[in-house]
Amino acid sequence: MSLPLPSLSLPRPPVPSRLIRTLDPCVPLAVKRRLVEPLLNRTFAEPLEEGEFDALEGRRISLAIEDLGVMLTLSLEDQRLVLTREAGEATIRGGWREFLCLATRREDPDSLFFQRRLLIEGDTELGLMVKNLLDGREEGLAQGPFGELLVRLERLARRTT
């Protein structure tokens, strides 16, 4: 006679958005800089070299990914994009799926703003300048290792909807 085995149920992994919302405030800015800045500067190497981001020198723009509780504020120093603690003069605000659509060009960037799925607050001129820089990249941001990460996130988004 065999005894029934107890049912072992492993806890489900945390939903990525909850995990990010919980961990992000605990991550020091220095760690975020080491992770995010090289990625941004590689992704935008050509437009940075060509001076397309020069209008951001000494200015700050925040990207607020509301459903993840993440706010990144960027500036330009010595031709490099950097994260800063200071508040942005302009903020582009929306959900992670909207930022993903913007980055992968799955949807027209203007539509994302006209439908108010992405919002620009504060210095609208600065916000539009950054939006146009992102929009002006023919292939979007979905290139190289960053692009591979975006594609994986997009697949995850499809599975969770």
Side-chain angles (χ1 to χ4, degrees):
M1 178 168 146
S2 63
L3 294 173
L5 294 173
S7 171
L8 294 176
S9 63
L10 297 174
R12 291 184 60 186
V15 176
S17 60
R18 272 189 261 155
L19 183 62
I20 292 169
R21 183 179 287 280
T22 302
L23 292 178
D24 182 66
C26 303
V27 177
L29 183 61
V31 172
K32 290 180 186 179
R33 283 180 173 156
R34 291 190 66 151
L35 295 171
V36 175
E37 287 178 7
L39 183 66
L40 288 172
N41 286 294
R42 275 194 307 273
T43 300
F44 294 108
E46 188 177 313
L48 283 165
E49 188 176 300
E50 293 173 359
E52 292 181 35
F53 281 90
D54 287 357
L56 197 54
E57 182 81 41
R59 311 281 313 268
R60 296 170 315 281
I61 184 145
S62 295
L63 304 176
I65 308 168
E66 293 182 316
D67 50 356
L68 297 182
V70 173
M71 171 93 75
L72 299 174
T73 302
L74 302 170
S75 187
L76 184 74
E77 293 177 8
D78 300 322
Q79 296 304 111
R80 293 187 48 78
L81 291 169
V82 296
L83 292 178
T84 180
R85 279 193 210 304
E86 300 173 54
E89 299 165 60
T91 300
I92 298 177
R93 182 178 305 282
W96 77 275
R97 287 185 172 98
E98 285 71 32
F99 278 100
L100 183 63
C101 287
L102 179 66
T104 60
R105 299 184 65 92
R106 295 286 189 222
E107 292 188 44
D108 175 56
D110 286 330
S111 294
L112 293 168
F113 286 94
F114 288 135
Q115 294 169 5
R116 301 187 60 78
R117 292 168 54 201
L118 286 174
L119 303 171
I120 297 175
E121 300 169 343
D123 185 335
T124 310
E125 186 177 331
L126 178 63
L128 285 173
M129 184 269 306
V130 171
K131 182 214 85 68
N132 290 336
L133 282 171
L134 297 174
D135 188 21
R137 296 198 38 91
E138 238 175 74
E139 68 281 356
L141 304 179
Q143 301 296 310
F146 186 55
E148 292 169 22
L149 173 65
L150 292 174
V151 168
R152 285 187 194 131
L153 285 173
E154 187 174 39
R155 283 188 202 127
L156 176 65
R158 276 193 239 136
R159 277 190 261 151
T160 60
T161 51

